[in-house]
Amino acid sequence: MSGFLSYFNDAFAVHSAMQSIIVIASVCGAGLLLSKIPTGRFSLGVTWVFFAGIIAAHFGLSIDPIMNSFAQNFGLVLFIYALGVQVGPSFFPSLRSGGIKENLLAIVVAIIGIALCILYYYLLGLPMTDLVGLFSGATTNTPALAAAQSTVASSLQDTAAIESTMALACAVTYPLGVLGMILGMMVLSFFVKNKNKDAKAETKHHPTTAFTEFEVVNPAIEDLSIAELAQRTKCHFVVTRLWHNGSVAIPNSQTKLKLGDRLLIASPEEEGYNALEVLFGKKVDKDWNEEGIDWDSIDNELVSKRIVVTNKEINGKTLGELKLRTIYGVNVSRLDRSGIELFAAPHLHLQLGDRISIVGEGNAVKACEDLLGNEVKMLDAPHLLSLFIGILLGCLLGAIPIFLPGISMPIKLGLAGGPIIMGILVGAYGPRFKMTTYITNSASQLIQKLGLILYLATLGLASGANFVSTIVNGDGLLWLLLGFTITVIPVVLTGWMSMRLFKMKYGSTCGMLCGSMANPMALDFLSGKVSDDSHNVSYATVYPLSMFFRIISAQILILVFIAS
């Protein structure tokens, strides 16, 4: 019996590398088992791992602090970087389609939280250091806490007790920061009048390619080539098919138009059709954008095929460089990247995994297929070199000191801000530098889930030891109440503004709120509740600026109010 107790003690109590792995695995397993318990509409998902860590720490389970810090930060980096790479291809298009508005709303969320902290400072007389800890926990933003603690350490002497109190305030309010965010999103769901309609409309969050048929009745453009026509309008468009005297053809830039010709035009949806209708003369009343169209049955002379880019030689090249229309006589009608439809403009850089819809004669389409690859199995091979290079560059970016006027200490993006910015840049521009950034959806989800679960487990272990005693004794209950208001009030107010005043959809609104709050646990709560990837894109769209703003704000609050 004593041998078994000794073995059990060594495995779970004596700090070592193996003991750390055993404890973390146990906490992760227990939390995931708890997440499987049906709780009706309200579900915490993997956030149960965080509470499993708190419970374990409360009953005395712990691991080496250095090991805990490493696992926590490495998990956070894995999650944040993989998320950035996933949404990188659609990040910059999203800025052109509501991204600026989303970032402004995310800043409003932070400003309301800061205003509440200042209100409680004057109303209740609480130290600003404690309030910044509450602010960090209520917004689940530990990098802001670390930045504020660093500012305290450089501004005062003997700050160990102050920094400890700040961390405890963050730990106490952190759980309700998660719960409050989820509760706020549940409240916002009641503002969605028609959820099916909202989910369907959510897919149009970003610019898509729309197809419209026009008939040439404008005599001013007769005998003009398509190239000459394109110079007469600011609209971007591609003529995918041309019907002339009952026969269909794939036009090129030198094709001349005749009165009575019918054209099938692909154009960015957000540009509208009025200018094109004025140009050609008549819009044909036929919906070419409805689901289920059999493009091959439209005519017998042409075929339409979706081809996946798997040829590494194509990675990073533009559509214009390939000269598909000139060499093969085909047209690219649309391009799908990470679930987002992009307009097939000549300057668009191709990436591995892009799905291109090509229209042309059968032999020509087959030749394009041989050029682009279309070997889906080749995408299953993991490309780990770009993953670790991106993580390395992200950490280096997070370590760069940023000096701002009026602030004596440099500000850093840290391990939360640097990797997501680098992930977005690598996902969006890596192929231009011949980096193979494509990750299968299952691999991306595995990396994100693994990183998030590691982060939650170790965060719970680090903050759970004094959790209950702080709530029972001292200001714990007051901290909980104030932290809950700092979480819920900005979320509900800004979410309501977003959906009612700015007409944003539920998934995009919640993704924006999660990104503003730096709350990946609440983001995971949305999985399965939103029909597309809009919440992830919105999260990554606002996360970098929101993280930077909160880090700066936490330090400014300390610097401004610590002297008073």
Side-chain angles (χ1 to χ4, degrees), residues 487-509:
T487 301
V488 174
I489 292 176
V491 166
V492 174
L493 284 180
T494 311
W496 181 87
M497 290 170 49
S498 170
M499 296 172 65
R500 288 297 177 90
L501 302 182
F502 296 96
K503 307 303 180 185
M504 286 177 58
K505 303 303 177 182
Y506 176 72
S508 304
T509 295

Side-chain angles (χ1 to χ4, degrees), residues 86-147:
Q86 177 187 349
V87 303
S90 54
F91 173 78
F92 292 102
S94 75
L95 289 180
R96 294 189 291 270
S97 175
I100 296 177
K101 175 177 64 179
E102 289 180 348
N103 273 286
L104 290 176
L105 286 170
I107 296 301
V108 169
V109 176
I111 290 175
I112 295 174
I114 293 169
L116 288 173
C117 288
I118 296 175
L119 174 66
Y120 297 150
Y121 174 80
Y122 287 110
L123 190 64
L124 302 176
L126 293 176
M128 183 54 70
T129 51
D130 291 4
L131 288 168
V132 169
L134 297 178
F135 176 74
S136 302
T139 58
T140 61
N141 197 318
T142 51
L145 173 68

Side-chain angles (χ1 to χ4, degrees), residues 17-76:
M18 181 178 293
Q19 181 261 357
S20 297
I21 295 174
I22 291 173
V23 171
I24 292 174
S26 300
V27 170
C28 292
L32 292 174
L33 284 175
L34 289 172
S35 70
K36 301 296 182 182
I37 299 175
T39 55
R41 184 176 180 182
F42 183 79
S43 174
L44 293 178
V46 296
T47 310
W48 277 113
V49 175
F50 176 61
F51 293 109
I54 289 178
I55 294 171
H58 174 69
F59 287 103
L61 206 58
S62 67
I63 63 175
D64 181 77
I66 296 178
M67 294 290 293
N68 190 294
S69 177
F70 167 76
Q72 180 177 331
N73 287 301
F74 186 63
L76 179 63

Side-chain angles (χ1 to χ4, degrees), residues 238-256:
V238 174
V239 183
T240 64
R241 285 176 171 86
L242 183 149
W243 289 274
H244 177 73
N245 292 334
S247 61
V248 66
I250 295 293
N252 56 43
S253 60
Q254 300 307 314
T255 299
K256 294 184 180 294

Side-chain angles (χ1 to χ4, degrees), residues 345-357:
H347 61 271
L348 183 65
H349 289 262
L350 296 178
Q351 301 183 12
L352 290 183
D354 284 351
R355 287 164 169 77
I356 304 176
S357 295

Side-chain angles (χ1 to χ4, degrees), residues 25 71 79 102 105 117 136 184 238 284 292 299 304 322-323 326 340 346 397 430 469 504 506 550:
F79 171 76
E102 289 180 348
L105 286 170
C117 288
S136 302
V238 174
V284 178
D299 46 66
S304 177
L322 298 182
K323 299 181 179 178
T326 303
I340 303 296
L397 176 63
S469 62
M504 286 177 58
Y506 176 72
R550 288 185 182 278

